[in-house]
C-alpha cells in the first residue's frame, strides 16, 4: 500500500528538480538563441504551462528585448489560461512598460488581465502608470489613476510616487501631480524627489527650488536623485550659488558622487557660467561616460571656447571613447561659436566617413549656423540647397537672420512668408517678418503683421532676465515696473547710461525697429531687461563682485555694447547667458570677441 505514495513523491521530486533546472537555465540565459533552446526544453519537459517558469521566462525575455516572443508563448492558443496569475501578468506588463516602443502593449496586457478575471495588485499599477508616462497620455493616466482609487491602492507610497511622475510627464498634468503630492504623507525622500523632478521636467525650475527648500525645512534628507533634479533646476535658472551649495551639501552629507550626479554638476556649472569648475569636476571623476564627455564639450562650446572643446574631443578619442551623434552636435556647435569653419567642416566629414554616423537635422543646423555666423551667406544657402533632408524651421530662421544682417532683405522676406505658411501659429515667424519690414522702412506692412498677430492671439515673447542674489531668484522683463524698488532701479539705469556715455558708449538706436524718434529709441534701449537686472545687481551686491544674469532671448547688439562699457566703468565681471551662449565681460571687452 505504500508504493503509490512513494511513486507520487518521486514524481513530485522530479518535477521540482526539472522546475529548478529550468529556472537556473533562465537565470544564466544571455542570448535569444539560448532562450529559444530553453523554450524547446520547456515543451519537452512539460513545463511550458508552469506559472513560475513562465514568469521567469517573461522576465528573462524582457532583459533580452524579446518580450513579444515571451508573450506569444504565454498567450498562445495552447496555453492553459487557468494557470494565469497576477504575478505572471505583472511581469509582462512591467516588461512592456520598460521597453521604449511597446508601452501600448502594457495597457493591452492589463486589459487582457481583466478579461481573464485576474485581480491586479499594488505592484500592477506603477508599471501601468510608467507606461502612461512614456506614452505622454494624460487621459489614459487619469483612467489608470481612477482605477487605482477604485481598488484602494491610492495610499500606497510607490503607487503615489509613480502617479506624480506620470502626471508630471504629461502635458497639462503638473497641477494634478501637485494635488497627489499634497495628499501624501511626504515622509519619504522619493516623494519629494518625484515632485521636484516633475517641476524640473516641465520647466518650472523656480517652483522646484522652492519645493526643495520646503523639503529642507521639513527635515527630509534628499537623496542622489533629488540632487540631480535640483542641479538641473539650478542649471535652468543660472543659480550658481545654490548649485555650489548643493555640491557642498553632497560632500558634507556623504551622498555618493555617482556618475550621474557628477554629470549633473558638470552641466550645472557650465550652464551657470563657471565652465572652469565644470572641467575640474570632470577631471576628478573616476569613471567617465559618453554623457560626461559630451557635457564638458557642450559646456565649452556654450562659452565660446571652441579650441578647448576640440582638444577634449581629441582626448576623448585617444582614451578609446567612441563619439556618438550627440557629441558631434556639441563639437560642431563649438566650432560655430568660435568661428572655426575649416575645423567644423573637417569634423562633419569625419563624423560621416570615419564613424558612419548619419547626420541629423541638428548637425545640419550647426553647419548652417557656423557658415552664417562667419558671414558666409552664399555658402550657407548652398549647404541648405544640397541637404538630403528637408530643412526645419530653425534652419530657415537662421538663414533669415543672416540674410537680413547682410542686406538680403527680399530673400529674408520670401523665406519668412514661407515659414508663416508652414507654421501659422509660431510667433517668432511673424516677429522676423515684422523686423524685416522695419529694416526696409515699410511701416505699414509691419503694422499689418502686428495686427495679424493680435487677431490670431499670438503674442511676442517678451525679453526676460533672471538674476540670483543672496540665494533668491529675481526676474525682470523689458520695461519692468513691478519691483518694489523700481524707482531706485531706474535711477541706477539712468546713471549707468550717463556714465558709459562718458566712456564712449553710443546707443545703437538702429536696433530699435520702431517708427519713433532717436530719443524714444534710446529710452526703449535703456529699458531692456538685462540693463534693469544689471542695475539691480549694482545696487545690491558688493563692489567688484561678479554679476551673473540669464536672458531668455539672444542678447541684442546695443546691450552687448553697453555691457562691455558697464564692466569697465563699474569694475565688474559680468557673465551673461543668453539663448545661444555665454558672454564674459571684463574690463570693456567680451569673451566672444564680438563674434556671436
Amino acid at each position: 500500500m505504500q508504493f503509490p505514495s512513494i511513486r507520487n513523491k518521486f514524481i513530485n521530486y522530479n518535477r521540482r528538480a526539472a522546475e529548478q533546472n529550468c529556472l537556473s537555465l533562465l537565470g544564466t540565459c544571455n542570448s535569444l538563441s539560448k532562450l529559444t533552446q530553453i523554450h524547446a526544453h520547456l515543451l519537452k519537459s512539460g513545463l511550458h504551462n508552469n506559472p513560475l517558469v513562465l514568469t521567469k521566462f517573461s522576465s528573462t525575455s524582457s532583459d533580452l528585448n524579446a518580450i513579444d516572443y515571451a508573450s506569444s508563448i504565454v498567450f498562445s492558443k495552447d496555453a492553459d489560461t487557468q494557470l494565469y496569475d497576477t504575478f505572471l501578468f505583472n511581469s509582462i506588463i512591467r516588461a512592456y512598460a520598460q521597453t521604449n516602443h511597446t508601452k501600448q502593449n502594457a495597457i493591452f496586457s492589463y486589459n487582457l488581465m481583466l478579461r481573464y478575471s485576474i485581480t491586479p495588485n499594488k505592484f500592477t499599477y506603477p508599471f501601468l502608470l510608467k507606461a502612461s508616462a512614456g506614452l505622454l497620455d494624460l487621459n489614459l493616466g487619469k483612467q489608470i489613476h481612477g482605477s487605482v482609487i477604485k481598488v484602494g491602492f491610492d495610499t500606497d507610497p510607490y503607487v503615489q510616487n509613480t502617479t506624480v511622475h506620470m502626471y508630471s510627464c504629461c502635458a497639462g498634468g503638473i497641477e494634478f501631480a501637485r494635488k497627489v503630492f499634497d495628499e501624501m504623507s511626504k515622509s519619504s525622500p522619493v516623494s519629494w524627489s518625484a515632485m521636484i523632478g516633475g517641476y524640473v521636467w516641465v520647466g518650472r525650475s523656480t517652483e522646484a527650488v522652492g519645493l526643495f527648500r520646503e523639503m529642507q525645512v521639513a527635515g527630509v534628507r534628499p537623496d542622489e536623485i533629488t540632487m540631480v533634479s535640483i542641479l538641473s533646476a539650478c542649471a535652468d535658472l543660472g543659480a550658481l550659488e545654490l548649485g555650489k551649495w548643493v555640491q557642498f551639501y553632497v560632500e558634507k552629507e556623504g551622498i555618493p558622487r555617482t556618475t550621474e550626479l557628477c554629470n549633473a554638476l558638470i552641466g550645472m556649472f557650465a550652464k551657470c557660467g563657471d565652465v572652469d569648475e565644470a572641467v575640474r569636476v570632470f577631471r576628478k571623476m573616476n569613471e567617465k561616460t559618453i554623457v560626461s564627455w559630451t557635457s564638458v564639450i557642450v559646456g565649452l562650446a556654450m562659452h565660446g571656447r571652441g579650441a578647448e572643446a576640440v582638444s577634449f574631443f581629441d582626448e576623448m578619442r585617444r582614451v578609446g571613447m567612441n563619439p556618438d551623434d550627440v557629441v558631434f552636435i556639441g563639437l560642431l556647435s563649438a566650432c560655430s561659436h568660435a568661428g572655426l569653419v575649416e575645423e567644423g567642416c573637417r569634423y562633419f566629414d569625419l563624423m560621416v566617413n570615419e564613424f558612419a554616423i548619419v547626420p541629423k537635422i541638428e548637425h545640419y543646423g550647426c553647419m548652417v549656423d557656423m557658415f552664417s555666423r562667419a558671414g558666409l551667406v552664399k555658402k550657407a544657402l548652398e549647404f541648405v540647397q544640397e541637404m538630403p533632408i528637408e530643412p526645419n524651421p530653425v534652419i530657415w530662421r537662421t538663414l533669415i537672420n543672416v540674410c537680413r544682417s547682410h542686406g538680403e532683405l527680399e530673400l529674408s522676406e520670401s523665406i519668412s512668408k514661407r515659414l508663416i505658411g508652414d507654421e501659422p501659429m509660431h510667433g517668432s515667424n511673424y516677429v522676423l517678418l515684422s523686423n524685416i519690414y522695419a529694416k526696409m522702412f515699410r511701416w505699414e506692412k509691419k503694422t499689418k503683421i502686428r495686427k495679424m498677430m493680435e487677431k490670431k492671439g499670438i503674442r511676442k515673447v517678451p525679453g526676460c532676465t533672471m538674476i540670483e542674489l543672496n540665494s533668491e531668484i529675481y526676474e525682470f522683463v523689458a520695461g519692468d515696473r513691478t519691483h518694489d524698488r523700481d524707482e531706485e532701479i531706474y535711477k541706477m539705469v539712468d546713471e549707468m547710461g550717463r556714465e558709459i556715455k562718458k566712456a564712449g558708449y553710443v546707443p545703437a538706436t538702429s536696433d530699435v525697429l520702431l517708427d519713433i524718434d532717436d530719443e524714444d529709441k534710446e529710452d526703449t534701449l535703456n529699458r531692456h531687461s538685462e540693463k534693469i537686472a544689471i542695475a539691480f545687481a549694482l545696487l545690491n551686491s558688493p563692489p567688484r563682485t561678479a554679476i551673473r544674469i540669464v536672458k531668455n532671448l539672444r542678447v541684442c547688439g546695443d546691450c552687448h555694447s553697453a555691457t562691455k562699457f558697464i564692466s569697465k566703468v563699474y569694475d565688474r565681471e559680468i557673465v551673461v547667458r543668453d539663448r545661444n551662449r555665454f558672454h564674459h565681460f571684463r574690463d570693456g571687452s567680451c569673451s566672444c570677441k564680438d563674434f556671436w
Side-chain angles (χ1 to χ4, degrees):
M1 298 293 295
Q2 298 293 322
F3 290 109
S5 176
I6 294 172
R7 182 173 179 275
N8 289 338
K9 287 181 180 179
F10 182 74
I11 291 171
N12 289 336
Y13 173 81
N14 282 344
R15 186 179 292 114
R16 285 196 299 271
E19 182 182 276
Q20 289 300 315
N21 180 49
C22 287
L23 292 173
S24 177
L25 288 171
L26 287 167
T28 57
C29 180
N30 57 10
S31 70
L32 184 57
S33 61
K34 289 183 180 179
L35 189 68
T36 57
Q37 292 175 32
I38 294 173
H39 179 211
H41 179 66
L42 294 182
L43 293 170
K44 186 177 179 180
S45 60
L47 291 170
H48 57 288
N49 280 326
N50 182 295
L52 185 60
V53 173
L54 277 179
T55 300
K56 181 63 176 176
F57 190 88
S58 300
S59 176
T60 303
S61 300
S62 172
D63 295 338
L64 297 173
N65 294 319
I67 186 59
D68 287 333
Y69 177 63
S71 294
S72 67
I73 296 168
V74 172
F75 302 130
S76 68
K77 294 179 180 179
D78 300 327
D80 186 353
T81 59
Q82 292 183 347
L83 297 176
Y84 288 166
D85 62 8
T86 304
F87 193 43
L88 174 61
F89 270 94
N90 281 354
S91 296
I92 293 173
I93 292 170
R94 171 180 173 271
Y96 277 129
Q98 293 178 335
T99 305
N100 289 335
H101 304 297
T102 58
K103 297 184 188 299
Q104 191 64 53
N105 287 341
I107 311 302
F108 172 80
S109 300
Y110 171 67
N111 291 331
L112 198 62
M113 181 183 192
L114 299 180
R115 190 185 306 167
Y116 284 116
S117 300
I118 307 298
T119 304
N121 61 17
K122 66 179 182 180
F123 300 107
T124 309
Y125 291 101
F127 305 140
L128 290 170
L129 290 163
K130 286 181 180 179
S132 300
L135 293 167
L136 306 178
D137 191 332
L138 180 61
N139 289 330
L140 176 62
K142 285 181 177 180
Q143 291 174 33
I144 295 171
H145 187 202
S147 298
V148 167
I149 296 170
K150 186 177 179 180
V151 297
F153 294 136
D154 53 311
T155 57
D156 179 81
Y158 189 42
V159 174
Q160 288 176 323
N161 291 335
T162 49
T163 302
V164 171
H165 171 72
M166 179 275 296
Y167 279 128
S168 300
C169 290
C170 299
I174 192 66
E175 300 306 331
F176 294 104
R178 185 59 193 255
K179 186 175 185 299
V180 174
F181 174 77
D182 287 339
E183 293 171 355
M184 297 168 65
S185 64
K186 297 188 284 292
S187 59
S188 166
V190 178
S191 310
W192 291 86
S193 292
M195 192 64 233
I196 290 170
Y199 276 134
V200 173
W201 177 261
V202 298
R204 290 165 61 167
S205 295
T206 302
E207 286 158 284
V209 170
L211 190 60
F212 176 67
R213 288 182 174 137
E214 287 183 37
M215 182 180 183
Q216 293 175 276
V217 172
V220 181
R221 185 180 185 272
D223 57 16
E224 177 242 340
I225 297 173
T226 314
M227 296 291 96
V228 170
S229 292
I230 206 65
L231 284 169
S232 297
C234 292
D236 183 45
L237 297 170
L240 180 62
E241 294 308 313
L242 178 59
K244 286 181 176 179
W245 181 89
V246 171
Q247 183 188 41
F248 172 76
Y249 184 88
V250 166
E251 294 173 356
K252 178 186 173 185
E253 296 297 319
I255 296 175
R257 286 176 66 105
T258 62
T259 302
E260 185 179 9
L261 181 57
C262 289
N263 290 340
L265 280 168
I266 293 170
M268 181 277 295
F269 279 118
K271 291 177 181 178
C272 289
D274 193 349
V275 72
D276 291 320
E277 184 60 30
V279 171
R280 278 191 284 272
V281 172
F282 175 82
R283 290 300 186 196
K284 290 179 181 178
M285 290 178 68
N286 294 323
E287 182 181 351
K288 301 176 179 68
T289 64
I290 190 71
V291 176
S292 313
W293 288 96
T294 303
S295 297
V296 77
I297 289 171
V298 170
L300 290 165
M302 285 192 300
H303 289 264
R305 291 161 64 166
E308 291 173 72
V310 167
S311 175
F312 268 85
F313 175 78
D314 293 338
E315 180 184 342
M316 174 185 173
R317 294 183 63 194
R318 285 197 300 272
V319 300
M321 180 74 70
N322 285 326
D324 59 8
D325 61 310
V326 182
V327 171
F328 276 103
I329 292 172
L331 185 64
L332 293 173
S333 176
C335 293
S336 175
H337 285 296
L340 303 174
V341 177
E342 289 185 12
E343 290 85 347
C345 291
R346 179 164 57 86
Y347 284 120
F348 185 85
D349 291 339
L350 182 76
M351 176 183 72
V352 175
N353 298 323
E354 183 171 331
F355 292 98
I357 295 174
V358 178
K360 296 181 178 179
I361 193 68
E362 293 84 359
H363 300 104
Y364 288 113
C366 287
M367 295 298 288
V368 174
D369 186 61
M370 181 180 70
F371 294 133
S372 298
R373 288 178 186 277
L376 302 174
V377 183
K378 185 178 179 182
K379 181 68 175 175
L381 288 169
E382 289 175 352
F383 188 86
V384 170
Q385 290 170 353
E386 294 171 1
M387 283 172 51
I389 57 178
E390 183 69 22
N392 66 2
V394 175
I395 290 177
W396 287 122
R397 282 190 278 271
T398 301
L399 282 178
I400 290 169
N401 284 321
V402 69
C403 289
R404 188 183 68 187
S405 62
H406 286 80
E408 298 285 349
L409 299 180
E410 291 184 1
L411 180 57
S412 297
E413 179 188 11
S414 174
I415 299 174
S416 295
K417 286 180 177 178
R418 174 180 171 177
L419 269 181
I420 289 175
D422 292 340
E423 296 181 313
M425 296 306 293
H426 201 294
S428 63
N429 297 333
Y430 294 89
V431 173
L432 283 171
L433 184 56
S434 172
N435 291 342
I436 290 165
Y437 285 140
K439 280 279 189 181
M440 300 168 79
F441 302 107
R442 293 161 72 174
W443 303 112
E444 290 184 6
K445 288 202 171 187
K446 174 183 169 66
T447 302
K448 185 179 178 181
I449 292 296
R450 292 294 183 179
K451 288 182 178 179
M452 190 186 300
M453 291 176 67
E454 291 177 12
K455 186 177 180 180
K456 291 177 179 284
I458 299 170
R459 300 183 64 183
K460 179 183 177 182
V461 177
C464 168
T465 301
M466 290 184 294
I467 183 169
E468 179 192 27
L469 282 176
N470 302 318
S471 300
E472 293 290 335
I473 305 294
Y474 299 89
E475 188 173 341
F476 298 94
V477 297
D480 201 338
R481 304 293 310 207
T482 60
H483 198 277
D484 55 5
R485 295 173 61 190
D486 68 300
E487 288 189 15
E488 188 180 358
I489 292 170
Y490 276 95
K491 283 182 181 178
M492 189 68 212
V493 170
D494 293 336
E495 179 196 304
M496 287 187 333
R498 289 192 299 270
E499 293 300 318
I500 61 178
K501 276 185 178 179
K502 292 177 185 176
Y505 160 73
V506 178
T509 53
S510 60
D511 284 353
V512 180
L513 303 176
L514 299 171
D515 189 16
I516 54 179
D517 60 36
D518 282 350
E519 186 175 341
D520 287 337
K521 286 183 178 182
E522 187 174 333
D523 185 64
T524 299
L525 291 172
N526 284 338
R527 270 50 183 168
H528 280 193
S529 61
E530 49 264 68
K531 291 192 176 104
I532 299 172
I534 291 171
F536 180 73
L538 289 173
L539 288 169
N540 293 281
S541 59
R544 297 186 178 180
T545 56
I547 296 172
R548 300 173 187 275
I549 63 175
V550 178
K551 176 77 182 287
N552 67 327
L553 304 174
R554 183 177 185 270
V555 64
C556 74
D558 178 77
C559 284
H560 190 270
S561 174
T563 306
K564 285 196 294 185
F565 281 98
I566 294 169
S567 71
K568 184 173 184 178
V569 170
Y570 290 92
D571 193 18
R572 296 286 193 114
E573 177 188 359
I574 303 175
V575 181
V576 180
R577 179 179 122 194
D578 72 3
R579 186 173 61 186
N580 296 329
R581 60 164 295 157
F582 275 88
H583 300 265
H584 295 257
F585 298 91
R586 293 187 186 91
D587 195 29
S589 62
C590 179
S591 59
C592 74
K593 299 179 176 60
D594 297 336
F595 182 84
W596 90 98

